[in-house]
């Protein structure tokens, strides 16, 4: 295994919003390749109950984008204008920009679980999320390795049922995220600024020796 290549993939898979190519089509086979790779992720009790809704229809993408904008535009504009941290401000501004371009992103992917766990205790809920989050991240890594990008968004979940009705997703399923997928404009993504691992790692007890 080429550790350097793996490390580059893990450290440069960024949340891509501004550098999505809105004019270049995304082939169905590429999406399916990435889903196949994502299906290798572990699932709780080997349930393998992930489901993937891929939206290429322009009218449906526009409808999803309008729902997304109605939930997030005002909040993101306020957050961008009030935060004092420059990096966080850029993130909010980028997210706000996505509310205007989302309809033009050629593919929307919604990872789902074929079950609900509303009101479940922490163990059940954690197990359920652990069945879809690893698969979702593997999907995003697979996109990056093929010159595509996306961002893990959850804003539409405030109106999950509206999106579910639009796409025929049953009320018995759980939507986990929305991935806007496109080829990236350039591939020169860099690692993000993060604190030293030592500063956030505790040994043997919370707040223990760094």
């Amino acid at each position: 295994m080429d550790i350097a290549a793996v490390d580059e993939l893990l450290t440069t898979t960024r949340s891509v919003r501004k550098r999505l190519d809105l004019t270049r089509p995304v082939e169905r086979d590429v999406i399916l390749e990435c889903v196949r790779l994502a299906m290798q992720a572990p699932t709780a009790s080997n349930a393998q109950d992930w489901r993937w809704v891929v939206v290429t229809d322009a009218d449906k993408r526009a409808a999803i984008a309008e729902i997304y904008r109605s939930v997030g535009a005002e909040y993101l504009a306020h957050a961008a204008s009030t935060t004092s941290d420059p990096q966080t401000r850029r993130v909010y501004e980028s997210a706000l920009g996505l509310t205007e371009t989302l309809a033009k992103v050629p593919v929307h992917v919604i990872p789902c679980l074929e079950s609900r766990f509303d009101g479940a205790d922490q163990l059940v809920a954690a197990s359920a999320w652990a069945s879809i989050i690893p698969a979702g991240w593997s999907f995003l890594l697979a996109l990056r390795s093929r010159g595509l990008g996306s961002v893990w968004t959850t804003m539409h979940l405030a109106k999950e049922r509206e999106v579910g009705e639009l796409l025929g997703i049953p009320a018995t399923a759980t939507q986990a995220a929305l991935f806007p997928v496109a080829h990236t404009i350039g591939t020169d993504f860099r690692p993000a600024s993060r604190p030293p691992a030592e500063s956030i790692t505790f040994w043997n007890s919370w707040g223990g020796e760094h």
Side-chain angles (χ1 to χ4, degrees):
M1 185 174 294
D2 186 338
I3 293 179
V6 174
D7 288 355
E8 181 180 4
L9 176 66
L10 292 173
T11 57
T12 63
T13 301
R14 305 259 58 84
S15 294
V16 186
R17 304 178 186 91
K18 292 184 176 180
R19 290 175 58 183
L20 295 173
D21 189 334
L22 306 180
T23 63
R24 183 178 174 185
V26 175
E27 295 181 359
R28 177 181 295 223
D29 286 349
V30 174
I31 297 296
L32 287 173
E33 284 179 7
C34 294
V35 170
R36 289 190 188 99
L37 290 167
M39 290 169 60
Q40 293 298 315
T43 60
S45 302
N46 196 35
Q48 301 185 38
D49 58 346
W50 3 244
R51 298 293 182 267
W52 304 81
V53 180
V54 181
V55 185
T56 58
D57 179 87
D59 290 339
K60 291 183 177 181
R61 286 187 285 116
I64 293 170
E66 177 55 29
I67 292 170
Y68 188 92
R69 187 203 61 76
S70 71
V71 173
E74 184 176 347
Y75 161 74
L76 292 169
H78 176 74
S81 66
T82 56
T83 184
S84 59
D85 178 65
Q87 182 180 25
T88 304
R89 183 182 304 111
R90 288 193 297 271
V91 170
Y92 280 130
E93 290 173 346
S94 176
L96 179 61
L98 183 64
T99 67
E100 301 298 327
T101 60
L102 182 58
K104 299 177 183 178
V105 180
V107 179
H108 295 179
V109 177
I110 299 179
C112 302
L113 286 172
E114 202 175 30
S115 60
R116 299 292 302 185
F117 44 95
D118 306 277
D121 64 31
Q122 186 174 4
L123 173 60
V124 173
S127 296
W129 287 120
S131 287
I132 190 63
I133 290 175
W137 188 241
S138 289
F139 179 81
L140 297 183
L141 292 171
L143 290 176
R144 163 67 173 151
S145 71
R146 287 159 173 75
L148 292 93
S150 187
V151 55
W152 191 302
T153 74
T154 55
M155 196 74 70
H156 84 284
L157 296 177
K159 295 185 177 180
E160 180 189 12
R161 283 315 314 147
E162 288 187 28
V163 175
E165 290 168 5
L166 173 70
L167 302 177
I169 299 173
T172 53
T174 299
Q175 299 174 49
L178 167 63
F179 302 148
V181 177
H183 289 275
T184 58
I185 300 172
T187 58
D188 55 330
F189 295 96
R190 296 176 296 177
S193 175
R194 296 288 189 259
E198 292 82 0
S199 70
I200 60 163
T201 304
F202 305 139
W203 297 90
N204 299 314
S205 63
W206 186 274
E209 176 189 1
H210 286 291

